[in-house]
Amino acid sequence: MPDRRLDVLAIGNAIVDVIANADDAFLDREGMHKGAMRLIDEAEATRLYDAMGPAREASGGSAANTVAGLASLGLSAGFIGQLGDDQLGEIFTHDIRSLGVAFDTPPRGDVGATARCLILVTPDAQRTMNTFLGAAQMLSPDAVDPAAVADARIVYLEGYLWDPADPRAAMYKAMDAARDAGTQVAFTLSDSFVVDRHRGDVLKLLEERRIDILFANEAEILMLAGGANLDAALDAIAPQVATLVVTRSEHGAVARRGDERAEVPAAAIHALVDTTGAGDLFAAGFLAGEARGASLETSLKLGAICAAEVIQHFGARPEADLKTLVGDLLD
C-alpha cells in the first residue's frame, strides 16, 4: 500500500461510555431488548443515568474504539468526530490523544452536549446500549479535510453515524476524497438497525464501488442480502465489494476477497465478561493486517485476537498490550 502518514483515519461518533451492571429484570422494567442499541434523547439519558447502578466512565464510540485498538497494535491512526464544548468533550479529547491517536476536530458550542452511551451489562456478558448522540450527530462535512484522507492508507467509516444528514454528507465527502487519492474505504454496518433503516443506501454504495472493505456480523449480512443462510448472503454480497468480512461471535469470522475465502475460529478466552467493543476491536485487528499487507487469513486472526482481549474485561478499549498479544503476526 502507498506510504502515508496514517495507517487508518476513522470517522465516527465521539461518545463517552457509561458502563454499569444490570440484571434482566432491570432491562424488562425499562422495556429494553437485551443486546440491542437504541437512540435516546438528553432527557431520557438523564433519567436512565439516575436509575442505573454504580458506573464507570470511559471514552468510547465504535470507530474511536477501533482506532484505540490500532494504536495499541502500534499503527498510526487518526479520528474525526464532533464534541460539544463541555467537560465530557475535554475528557474524550484527552483520552484519545493520550493513546497517540491524531484528533484535531475542534469542539463546538452550538451543537449541544457531548454524546454519551449508557451501557448495561447483564450477567451473561451481553451489553444493552442506550445512546444519546448529542453533538456527535452534528459532525459537519467541513470537519473532513480531503488532504487528511489522502494521507491515510485506509479511511474507516462507522455505520452508526450514517443516520443524521450532516455526518452522512461528511462520509460521502471522505469517500470522494479517498477515491481521488487511492485511499481504501472501509465501512462497518455497526448494527442491524442501520441496515434496516439504510439498506438501500448501503446497497447503492456497494453498487457504486464506494466501499473497498465491508464489515458485518452474521445478522447484519443476512439482513443486507435478504438471504436465508450465511453462504447465500456471502455469495450475494461478496461480488459487490473487494473485501467482505463477517464476524460470527463464538463461531469466529469469515472473509471473501474475489475467489478467495478465509475462515478462522474465535480466539480462546479464559472468561467472557463484557462483549462491549468486540466488533470494534475485531475491526482494529483486521485493518492492522490490511494496512501491513497481511494475508486475508492473518488479518482475520489478528481481528479474532483483539476481539478476544476486549471481551475478557469491562469496557470497549484494550487493557492488554495488543502488539504483544499478536506477536509476529504483524511483522
Side-chain angles (χ1 to χ4, degrees):
M1 299 183 72
D3 187 24
R4 307 285 174 92
R5 182 176 67 91
L6 294 177
D7 292 304
V8 179
L9 174 65
I11 301 177
N13 282 311
I15 298 177
V16 176
D17 289 337
V18 182
I19 306 169
N21 292 324
D23 55 23
D24 290 346
F26 182 86
L27 299 187
D28 290 341
R29 288 196 302 272
E30 293 290 337
M32 298 177 188
H33 298 287
K34 185 190 292 189
M37 193 282 283
R38 65 168 181 155
L39 298 177
I40 59 176
D41 59 20
E42 188 169 5
E44 174 65 4
T46 300
R47 186 201 67 78
L48 182 57
Y49 181 77
D50 291 339
M52 292 167 59
R56 58 177 290 187
E57 297 179 355
S59 297
S62 176
N65 294 334
T66 297
V67 295
L70 284 159
S72 181
L73 286 164
L75 278 78
S76 57
F79 180 73
I80 297 172
Q82 189 59 60
L83 299 167
D85 190 6
D86 53 24
Q87 185 177 15
L88 284 181
E90 292 175 0
I91 291 171
F92 182 95
T93 299
H94 174 270
D95 284 356
I96 199 164
R97 287 179 176 170
S98 71
L99 299 173
V101 174
F103 177 63
D104 301 314
T105 312
R108 289 170 55 187
D110 61 340
V111 291
T114 293
R116 73 287 313 261
C117 183
L118 309 180
I119 302 172
L120 300 165
V121 183
T122 42
D124 57 2
Q126 289 294 307
R127 81 277 189 269
T128 303
M129 299 183 291
N130 304 269
T131 304
F132 165 58
L133 288 172
Q137 64 185 333
M138 303 301 290
L139 180 71
S140 165
D142 292 339
V144 176
D145 181 1
V149 174
D151 211 12
R153 292 182 173 88
I154 302 169
V155 61
Y156 178 65
L157 307 178
E158 177 186 325
Y160 280 134
L161 198 55
W162 193 258
D163 215 40
D166 280 355
R168 187 165 61 249
M171 287 193 276
Y172 272 121
K173 181 179 179 181
M175 285 186 277
D176 289 340
R179 178 180 290 173
D180 291 342
T183 296
Q184 288 194 76
V185 174
F187 189 97
T188 175
L189 294 178
S190 294
D191 194 280
S192 293
F193 95 88
V194 175
V195 184
D196 182 53
R197 290 170 65 90
H198 301 291
R199 181 172 181 267
D201 280 355
V202 175
L203 290 174
K204 186 175 181 181
L205 292 173
L206 294 174
E207 179 184 348
E208 295 176 347
R209 298 290 174 174
R210 288 179 173 269
I211 299 173
D212 300 295
I213 304 169
L214 179 67
F215 290 96
N217 64 27
E218 192 164 356
E220 292 158 3
I221 201 65
L222 289 173
M223 183 177 290
L224 182 64
N229 60 72
L230 179 59
D231 285 338
L234 291 171
D235 288 342
I237 301 300
Q240 302 181 57
V241 63
T243 303
L244 173 62
V245 184
V246 179
T247 57
R248 307 184 63 213
S249 300
E250 70 273 17
H251 301 298
V254 59
R256 290 270 298 271
R257 178 181 291 152
D259 294 331
E260 182 183 4
R261 175 183 172 125
E263 191 164 0
V264 300
I269 61 172
H270 296 293
L272 178 63
V273 176
D274 174 16
T275 58
T276 307
D280 305 335
L281 269 294
F282 183 94
F286 188 90
L287 291 172
E290 293 297 286
R292 290 290 183 265
S295 70
L296 194 59
E297 182 178 2
T298 297
S299 293
L300 287 175
K301 288 179 180 178
L302 288 164
I305 292 169
C306 294
E309 189 282 335
V310 81
I311 65 176
Q312 296 184 80
H313 58 75
F314 285 107
R317 299 281 174 89
E319 293 184 354
D321 181 353
L322 295 182
K323 191 173 183 181
T324 299
L325 284 181
V326 302
D328 60 5
L329 285 177
L330 270 179
D331 291 345

